[in-house]
Amino acid sequence: MHKAANAYMQTQVTTTTPGHLVVMLYDGAITFLEQAKGEIEAKNFAKKGILISQALDIIAELDGSLNADKGGEIARNLHKLYVYCSTRLLQANLKMDIAMVDEVIGILSSFRSAFSEISKNPAHQAPPRAAAYYAR
C-alpha cells in the first residue's frame, strides 16, 4: 500500500503545474505543523521534533527555489519571511510553544492562499518540464 501511495504522489508531482506544486508544499508544511501541535499537547517530544523538522525541510525547499534575479524584491521578502518562520519553528521546538507554531501556520496559510489564487491564472498553468518529458 505504501508503494502505491508513493507512486501516486510521484505522478501527482510530475504532472502538476509549478504553482500547484508550491500549494502542495504549503499544504504539507501546514499539515506537519498541525500534527506537531497535537504532539506538543501529548508531550510526545520525539514525534513533535520529527514533524517540525519535516515542516522546516519544506520551508527550506521553498526558500531554495526562490530566484532573486527574476523575483527581485518579492523573492528577497519571501526569503526573509521563510528565515523568520524557520527561526520561530526552531524556538517552538525548544520551548514546546504552540503559539509560535500557530504563528507560522498563519503565515504559511496566507502564502498558500496567495499562491493558490496565482496558480488559477491561465498564464501560470504551463505544465512543468518534467511532465513534458514524461509525455513523450
Side-chain angles (χ1 to χ4, degrees):
M1 181 68 176
H2 188 64
K3 269 187 164 180
N6 282 339
Y8 172 77
M9 280 304 295
Q10 183 67 28
T11 300
Q12 191 173 12
V13 166
T14 58
T15 61
T16 191
T17 64
H20 186 69
L21 184 57
V22 171
V23 172
M24 289 170 60
L25 288 169
Y26 284 125
D27 286 342
I30 292 165
T31 298
F32 289 138
L33 293 176
E34 290 290 350
Q35 292 172 354
K37 286 173 29 182
E39 299 303 334
I40 289 171
E41 290 172 350
K43 300 208 184 308
N44 186 343
F45 306 129
K47 184 68 175 170
K48 173 263 319 172
I50 291 168
L51 291 163
I52 289 177
S53 291
Q54 288 173 315
L56 284 166
D57 287 346
I58 291 172
I59 292 169
E61 183 67 29
L62 289 164
D63 187 40
S65 71
L66 295 173
N67 184 330
D69 294 332
K70 289 184 180 179
E73 186 177 350
I74 293 172
R76 286 189 295 277
N77 289 337
L78 277 171
H79 169 70
K80 289 175 187 174
L81 285 165
Y82 289 146
V83 169
Y84 176 79
C85 287
S86 295
T87 302
R88 294 299 280 173
L89 288 177
L90 291 170
Q91 292 170 342
N93 195 25
L94 290 172
K95 297 179 180 180
M96 304 289 288
D97 191 325
I98 290 176
M100 288 182 191
V101 176
D102 279 333
E103 177 186 8
V104 173
I105 289 171
I107 293 168
L108 296 179
S109 295
S110 295
F111 292 165
R112 187 226 178 268
S113 295
F115 274 93
S116 179
E117 286 302 312
I118 290 168
S119 68
K120 290 178 186 175
N121 182 336
H124 299 282
Q125 300 272 331
R129 283 179 274 174
Y133 173 80
Y134 289 112
R136 292 187 219 173

